[in-house]
């Protein structure tokens, strides 16, 4: 079975998607591991930054995105096929990276989330259908080394489906007051989910993103987060800090292709930090 890591924060815009995509590309290209990105966010940011829009539309029309998986559950039928939905060799680097695959999302996921709450459960866990994602993709994910799940900024049912599939989660944070504010809530809610399902979901730590050295608030927040890691239940602040970087911001644009990681991420910032972060994360989970 692969190592499965969810990227989660209740706060939007902290870098969950950017970091998911960068980690996926670095793991696939620099370590030659087989990586699957699952986009659980109706905003489809990971999807559109990894695959061409025309190809995505075809998948969407044919019901081969995560939205169909949940729609099938609601309508009690079987249109979704993980085998057909997973897009192979995605990314705008080198016309696609061998061994980097994507289970795309769809904008329609937002309506499904509301519908899901209304229906009675048929899953094995208590009252809520938490195993829809896992049951439908378990056969396909066995061949991957790493699965990265890009979660939306909430802890709704769809996110919970991703979390209970994961052995680990990472919390990207911009070190301002608001982004760090929700961390205790994430940790507590995931602990509750663990207690309810008997499934262990380990926090790997907080990733500091968009750090600005000149900003005193940022410097103080990082220190505070490092000090509170144990008591806060998030284990650690990863030692790699990702700075605010124009190249990180433009990385989500699929229409800016490159031949290799340097074309996309430069030679220094944020290339070096992403490289170091990848090594740090892999050390924690497999190396
Ligand atoms: N290191 C960075 N430096 C500068 N900009 C960044 C950096 N990381 C991410 N960004 C930018 O910040 C914005 C938010 O990033 P991203 O979409 O990855 O966050 P998110 O947590 O996935 O958001 P959401 O909760 O909406 O899904 C994007 O415009 C992205 O390009
Ligand atoms: Mg996102």
């Amino acid at each position: 079975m692969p190592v499965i890591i969810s990227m989660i924060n209740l706060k939007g815009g902290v870098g969950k998607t950017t970091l998911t995509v960068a980690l996926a590309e670095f793991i696939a290209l620099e370590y030659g591991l087989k990586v699957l990105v699952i986009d659980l966010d109706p905003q489809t940011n990971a999807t559109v930054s990894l695959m061409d829009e025309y190809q995505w539309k075809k998948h969407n029309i044919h019901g081969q995105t995560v939205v169909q998986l949940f729609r099938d559950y609601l309508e009690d039928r079987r249109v979704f096929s993980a085998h057909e939905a997973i897009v192979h060799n995605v990314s705008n680097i080198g016309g696609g990276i061998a061994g980097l695959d994507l289970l795309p999302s769809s904008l329609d996921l937002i309506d499904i989330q509301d519908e899901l709450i209304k229906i009675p459960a048929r899953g094995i866990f208590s009252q809520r259908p938490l195993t829809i994602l896992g049951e439908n993709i378990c056969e396909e994910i066995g061949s991957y080394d790493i699965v990265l799940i890009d979660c939306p900024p909430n802890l709704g049912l769809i996110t919970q489906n991703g979390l209970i599939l994961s052995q680990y989660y990472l919390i990207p944070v911009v070190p301002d007051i608001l982004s760090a504010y929700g961390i205790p809530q994430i940790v507590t809610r995931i602990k509750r989910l663990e207690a309810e399902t008997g499934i262990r979901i380990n926090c790997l730590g907080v990733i500091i993103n968009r750090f600005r050295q000149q900003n005193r608030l940022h410097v103080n927040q990082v220190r505070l987060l490092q000090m509170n890691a144990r008591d806060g239940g998030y284990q650690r602040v990863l030692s790699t800090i990702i700075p605010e970087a124009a190249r990180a911001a433009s990385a989500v644009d699929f229409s800016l292709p490159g031949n290799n990681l340097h074309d996309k991420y430069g030679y220094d910032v944020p290339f070096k930090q992403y490289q170091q972060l990848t090594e740090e994360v892999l050390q924690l989970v497999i190396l």
Side-chain angles (χ1 to χ4, degrees), residues 157-172:
L157 257 176
I158 291 170
T159 305
Q160 291 176 41
N161 265 262
L163 281 169
I164 68 149
L165 202 60
S166 312
Q167 300 98 331
Y168 302 105
Y169 67 99
L170 278 163
I171 313 173

Side-chain angles (χ1 to χ4, degrees), residues 37-56:
V37 170
I38 299 178
D39 187 359
L40 285 188
D41 191 345
Q43 297 179 93
T44 67
N45 293 348
T47 299
V48 297
S49 67
L50 282 170
M51 74 187 281
D52 154 86
E53 203 180 330
Y54 174 74
Q55 196 187 5
W56 171 78

Side-chain angles (χ1 to χ4, degrees), residues 7-21 39 41 43-46 150-154 172 174 208-211 242-253 269-270 274:
M7 269 315 165
I8 180 98
N9 193 329
L10 301 175
K11 179 90 172 66
V14 293
K16 296 179 290 295
T17 302
T18 312
L19 290 166
T20 302
V21 169
D39 187 359
D41 191 345
Q43 297 179 93
T44 67
N45 293 348
D150 185 25
C151 296
N154 64 55
V174 179
I208 305 293
N209 189 36
R210 302 191 71 165
F211 177 69
I242 312 294
E244 176 82 20
R247 274 205 128 112
S250 61
V252 288
D253 188 349
V269 181
Y274 283 159

